[in-house]
Amino acid sequence: MANEQLPPASNGTSNLVDVLEKVLDKGVVIAGDIRVGIGDVELLSIKIRLIVASVDKAKEIGLDWWETDPYLTSRATEFAKKRDDENEALQKRVEELENKLNESNKTQLEISSSDKQRDGEDKHE
C-alpha cells in the first residue's frame, strides 16, 4: 500500500475525487489531544478522535452506532426493545441458575450434616 500511487490526473478536481474515493474505501483515523494550560496548571484538555470512512467500511470495522441512535433513526426503538427483552430473559436465566445452585448447595449441606451426625453416633457406640 505504501508503494501505491494515485494515477495522474488531468486536473485537480479529478485528483481530489480519486483521493476521496481511496480514503472512503480504506478509511482514515485522525487522533489528537489538545491541552491548554498556564504553567503547570492544565485548564482544558480535549481528546479528538475522528474516523473518516464509507458507511460500508465503518460497518465492517464495527462502527454502526447511528443505527441505534434514537435521534438518527426510527429503528432505534426496535433495537432498544429487543435489547431490553434479551436483558430480561438473561436476568431470568441467571436467577433460575442461582436458585438451582442454592438448592444444590443446601442439599449438599444437609447430606454433609447427616453424614457427620451418623459418624458421631457410630463413634459413641
Side-chain angles (χ1 to χ4, degrees):
M1 185 170 139
N3 294 335
E4 252 181 67
Q5 293 183 0
L6 294 174
S10 59
N11 61 34
T13 305
S14 78
N15 194 19
L16 179 63
V17 169
D18 292 339
V19 169
L20 185 58
E21 182 179 337
K22 198 169 267 297
V23 165
L24 290 176
D25 184 46
K26 302 291 183 185
V28 172
V29 176
I30 301 170
D33 297 336
I34 299 172
R35 292 191 178 105
V36 178
I38 298 176
D40 291 336
V41 178
E42 188 174 305
L43 301 174
L44 177 66
S45 179
I46 300 172
K47 292 185 180 245
I48 298 171
R49 306 294 181 260
L50 174 67
I51 296 177
V52 179
S54 67
V55 171
D56 293 335
K57 185 65 174 180
K59 284 184 178 182
E60 183 181 318
I61 61 174
L63 295 175
D64 58 357
W65 52 266
W66 62 85
E67 291 182 345
T68 57
D69 189 325
Y71 293 106
L72 298 175
T73 180
S74 60
R75 292 187 352 205
T77 53
E78 294 171 22
F79 287 114
K81 173 94 171 91
K82 182 179 177 185
R83 181 196 61 222
D84 292 345
D85 290 345
E86 287 176 356
N87 283 343
E88 189 176 324
L90 287 172
Q91 287 174 349
K92 285 180 183 178
R93 182 69 180 138
V94 167
E95 202 173 293
E96 289 171 6
L97 291 171
E98 286 175 342
N99 289 338
K100 286 182 181 180
L101 183 62
N102 288 336
E103 288 173 11
S104 175
N105 287 341
K106 185 177 177 183
T107 304
Q108 288 296 330
L109 285 173
E110 289 171 354
I111 291 171
S112 176
S113 175
S114 65
D115 286 348
K116 286 180 183 178
Q117 285 178 353
R118 271 191 248 130
D119 287 345
E121 291 171 4
D122 290 344
K123 287 181 183 177
H124 291 317
E125 291 178 0

